[in-house]
Amino acid sequence: MEVAEVAAEMAATTLGNPEGRVLRRITKIKKILEADVGSWAGRRVLVGGWVKTGREQGKGSFAFLEVNDGSCLANLQVICEASTYTLAELVPTGTSVLVEGELKPPPEGVKQRIELKVDKVLEVGPVGEKYPLPKTRLTLENLRDFMHLRARTNTISAVARIRDELAHATHAFFRQNGFRYIHTPIITTSDCEGAGEMFQATVLFSQAEKLAKEIKENPLPTESDVEAAKLVVKEKGEIVAQLKSTKASKPEITAAVSELNKAKETASRLEERSKLTPGIPVKPDGGFSFDSDFFKKPAFLTVSGQLQVETYACAVGSVYTFGPTFRAENSHTSRHLAEFWMVEPEMAFATLEDDMDYAEEYVKFMCQWLLDNSREDMEFMVKNYDKTAIERLKLVASSPFARVSYTEAVEILMGVTDKKFENKVEWGIDLASEHERYLTEVIFKKPVIVYNYPKGIKAFYMRLNDDQKTVAAMDVLVPKVGELVGGSQREERLDILKQRILDADLPLDIYEWYLDLRRYGTVKHSGFGLGFERMILFATGLDNIRDVIPFPRYPGRADL
């Protein structure tokens, strides 16, 4: 029977909704494999997925297919006879299939718990040429050259499921704790970090390119062209004046006036067009002019939604934002991306102590969530990448975090004699990853929260402490990655915040709205940011951040 005929037969026997639309109920492989074999044996199911491996057996009379639909790591063994479908079209790796059949217990002595005996092949997506992903294991670095296909591999699909679970855990945690989810803008005119490494959002370049193309096809009018057009206007004006002086008929005067207006419009357009200047508009001081840009001012892709979400924290209480952020940092390290996701909660009427408590609870919640909901994928990570991944999750989920001030942390690190750090330790430095990991992996052997950092290495919005040297900032450090969370109590005092903005050499005018939050009903509030990809690195034990985000963007690469 042909595929089309089988599909039609199935459609005719499938339940439809009241509107008559036919529904095909596909059963996920995860559901099949997790169920009790006895309760599923003999049941008919519809399964769709991609062939991981396929082989013909019994002199070509039937084939074994290992099919995966991405719902879990494990494959479902599918058996198809040659009388049901042409086996040579089914067995190539990468082939997609939609099949129907009966679930059966496999013969004794095999690893499968259950298998699918197919009697209908409804759809086939063939692999016409050599499949780009070989059966032999590719390195994660090589897989980045197959961005559109790498999700079909065990590692990347496992990471995708772990990432999904962590996103679900994030929303669950904040929902359970009374937070509201706020969508903050991607395009902003504010620099939250003050580092200046932002992607600019502008149409000036596309406008300049469009103008250059237009000028090439239709050159700008010359000065003589403009003068000639003005001369026509003068002549048309004289004709109108003459007709009026001789008391010509109204239709004659009306027609002449119409011709005069057309000449004026033509001259005006020519004069305006003659003033066009190819390239990006520049001000007298040499800087770019944004008067003709889309937003009429410099705009950027956000590095953080924190400043914007504070406006809602100062209105509806506890809130959080969770979305993509961007950093134009020309870094090729395994810890940096140009586009990454941040989880940023903000709490009104909250101090630094509250901030640390929420950060600790949130990280613990996510670790426990993975232990409860991603066991198969985490065991895959343990087997293939990091033998300590599950133990690390258990440690963080069950251990109270150590808390030390920045000054105490520096004193501890300065007293270390059994290791020579590449970066010198002294008060006032921004702790490097090696310092952070030494504290959490060697000194405390569990997560550590370091708080009260020097004001010179932290952002302008962090609350100045009474010592005038430090700010009420905190970082959560964990094994494997070092800093996972960064947060602070925000500066709620108007005069101090204003001075901090000026000290950071930032323009005061673009932060007037932020200062308004302190002018009108100021409130102590705190918040933090968790780098979502760093959390996935910590959980999985993978070494490169480019492998834990679906479509990594970094210098020289923005595939798809």
Side-chain angles (χ1 to χ4, degrees):
M1 187 179 292
E2 295 296 325
V3 172
E5 294 174 339
V6 174
E9 177 184 322
M10 181 183 177
T13 59
T14 306
L15 291 176
N17 63 12
E19 289 75 30
R21 181 169 59 89
V22 174
L23 301 175
R24 294 195 303 189
R25 300 182 178 180
I26 294 177
T27 302
K28 292 296 184 182
I29 289 175
K30 176 181 174 70
K31 188 174 182 180
I32 295 171
L33 297 181
E34 286 181 347
D36 177 66
V37 174
S39 64
W40 279 75
R43 188 179 297 191
R44 291 189 62 78
V45 294
L46 179 67
V47 170
W50 290 264
V51 175
K52 284 296 187 93
T53 60
R55 64 187 190 280
E56 294 185 36
Q57 295 285 299
K59 297 182 179 179
S61 61
F62 67 95
F64 287 116
L65 309 176
E66 291 289 325
V67 176
N68 188 279
D69 64 0
S71 62
C72 62
L73 186 66
N75 305 321
L76 175 66
Q77 180 164 281
V78 172
I79 303 171
C80 183
E81 294 182 352
S83 58
T84 303
Y85 202 84
T86 304
L87 301 182
E89 296 181 20
L90 300 178
V91 295
T93 297
T95 302
S96 71
V97 294
L98 180 66
V99 295
E100 185 183 1
E102 184 178 331
L103 292 170
K104 295 186 175 184
E108 289 187 14
V110 299
K111 64 178 182 178
Q112 289 83 8
R113 295 175 62 248
I114 198 166
E115 60 188 20
L116 177 63
K117 179 71 183 302
V118 168
D119 51 43
K120 294 179 181 178
V121 177
L122 303 176
E123 294 177 14
V124 175
V127 176
E129 301 175 2
K130 183 180 179 183
Y131 193 54
L133 300 181
K135 293 180 182 179
T136 54
R137 182 173 170 179
L138 279 176
T139 66
L140 294 178
E141 183 177 3
N142 288 337
L143 276 177
R144 291 177 214 138
D145 292 329
F146 300 96
M147 201 68 66
H148 55 303
L149 295 173
R150 70 174 188 163
R152 297 190 190 184
T153 65
N154 287 340
T155 297
I156 301 302
S157 64
V159 169
R161 287 186 293 271
I162 290 170
R163 185 183 179 99
D164 171 65
E165 290 295 342
L166 287 173
H168 190 95
T170 292
H171 292 299
F173 173 82
F174 289 115
R175 172 66 64 176
Q176 290 175 19
N177 284 279
F179 284 68
R180 292 295 181 184
Y181 179 31
I182 307 298
H183 296 157
T184 50
I186 298 296
I187 298 174
T188 179
T189 55
S190 305
D191 183 357
C192 179
E193 300 297 328
E197 296 168 334
M198 303 177 75
F199 287 102
Q200 192 136 19
T202 178
V203 297
L204 291 178
F205 291 95
S206 59
Q207 285 177 347
E209 187 177 7
K210 182 180 179 181
L211 178 59
K213 183 179 180 181
E214 184 188 352
I215 290 174
K216 186 176 180 181
E217 295 173 354
N218 183 18
L220 296 178
T222 64
E223 189 175 340
S224 59
D225 293 331
V226 175
E227 289 303 318
K230 288 180 178 179
L231 184 59
V232 171
V233 171
K234 183 181 178 183
E235 291 171 351
K236 298 291 184 183
E238 291 173 349
I239 291 173
V240 171
Q242 184 179 5
L243 289 171
K244 286 181 177 179
S245 66
T246 59
K247 294 188 173 20
S249 66
K250 187 175 181 180
E252 285 182 297
I253 294 175
T254 301
V257 169
S258 177
E259 289 296 315
L260 174 60
N261 289 336
K262 288 179 183 178
K264 285 180 177 180
E265 289 177 10
T266 300
S268 178
R269 284 198 301 268
L270 283 174
E271 188 170 20
E272 191 68 28
R273 184 169 165 74
S274 70
K275 295 175 182 178
L276 292 176
T277 304
I280 307 296
V282 178
K283 295 186 294 186
D285 64 3
F288 289 145
S289 171
F290 292 92
D291 293 341
S292 63
D293 204 0
F294 191 90
F295 297 106
K296 311 301 182 188
K297 64 175 73 172
F300 309 90
L301 298 185
T302 185
V303 297
S304 169
Q306 178 214 310
L307 298 187
Q308 288 83 1
V309 86
E310 278 187 54
T311 66
Y312 276 77
C314 294
V316 297
S318 297
V319 296
Y320 73 104
T321 184
F322 178 17
T325 54
F326 308 85
R327 183 74 60 85
E329 186 176 359
N330 191 21
S331 173
H332 294 265
T333 74
S334 61
R335 291 291 185 270
H336 289 90
L337 288 168
E339 179 183 327
F340 50 97
W341 284 61
M342 291 291 293
V343 180
E344 298 175 291
E346 202 74 27
M347 299 81 71
F349 304 100
T351 64
L352 180 64
E353 193 73 26
D354 299 316
D355 204 33
M356 292 190 285
D357 289 344
Y358 269 117
E360 179 172 342
E361 289 175 24
Y362 171 45
V363 172
K364 285 182 174 181
F365 185 91
M366 286 193 292
C367 291
Q368 189 60 52
W369 187 280
L370 288 183
L371 291 170
D372 294 340
N373 298 283
S374 294
R375 199 72 186 200
E376 181 189 39
D377 289 321
M378 285 306 306
E379 286 173 353
F380 172 82
M381 293 298 166
V382 167
K383 180 180 178 181
N384 293 277
Y385 294 100
D386 186 346
K387 293 185 176 5
T388 64
I390 290 178
E391 290 306 313
R392 191 166 56 247
L393 290 178
K394 289 180 178 178
L395 170 71
V396 174
S398 61
S399 304
F401 292 9
R403 298 188 183 187
V404 295
S405 70
Y406 170 88
T407 300
E408 291 170 328
V410 168
E411 290 173 353
I412 291 171
L413 291 168
M414 289 178 69
V416 171
T417 57
D418 61 346
K419 176 178 175 61
K420 183 174 177 59
F421 295 114
E422 292 182 11
N423 299 276
K424 184 181 178 182
V425 179
E426 58 184 352
W427 199 95
I429 67 161
D430 197 359
L431 297 179
S433 179
E434 60 173 337
H435 304 141
E436 296 168 343
R437 292 188 62 178
Y438 193 86
L439 286 170
T440 185
E441 294 173 6
V442 180
I443 299 295
F444 292 98
K445 295 182 172 60
K446 62 180 180 178
V448 183
I449 302 180
V450 179
Y451 59 91
N452 289 346
Y453 279 79
K455 68 176 183 179
I457 61 173
K458 290 297 182 179
F460 69 89
Y461 52 76
M462 298 186 177
R463 194 180 199 274
L464 187 65
N465 288 327
D466 293 341
D467 62 12
Q468 303 295 305
K469 296 190 304 181
T470 62
V471 289
M474 66 89 183
D475 287 341
V476 177
L477 315 180
V478 295
K480 181 73 179 176
V481 299
E483 181 192 341
L484 181 63
V485 172
S488 72
Q489 183 174 335
R490 315 312 189 190
E491 184 56 78
E492 86 283 3
R493 297 163 294 185
L494 177 61
D495 292 343
I496 295 177
L497 179 59
K498 202 181 275 190
Q499 188 57 51
R500 292 276 286 153
I501 293 173
L502 293 172
D503 291 343
D505 290 326
L506 295 170
L508 206 58
D509 59 325
I510 66 172
Y511 293 100
E512 282 299 327
W513 65 270
Y514 191 62
L515 294 170
D516 276 351
L517 299 179
R518 279 71 180 171
R519 290 189 181 103
Y520 311 119
T522 189
V523 59
K524 287 184 178 180
H525 59 288
S526 299
F528 62 82
L530 174 137
F532 198 57
E533 284 73 31
R534 286 200 172 195
M535 180 63 204
I536 303 169
L537 278 182
F538 163 75
T540 60
L542 295 179
D543 292 321
N544 200 307
I545 201 166
R546 299 169 184 177
D547 301 319
V548 298
I549 190 169
F551 306 102
R553 272 77 175 101
Y554 50 96
R557 295 294 291 267
D559 299 347
L560 279 63

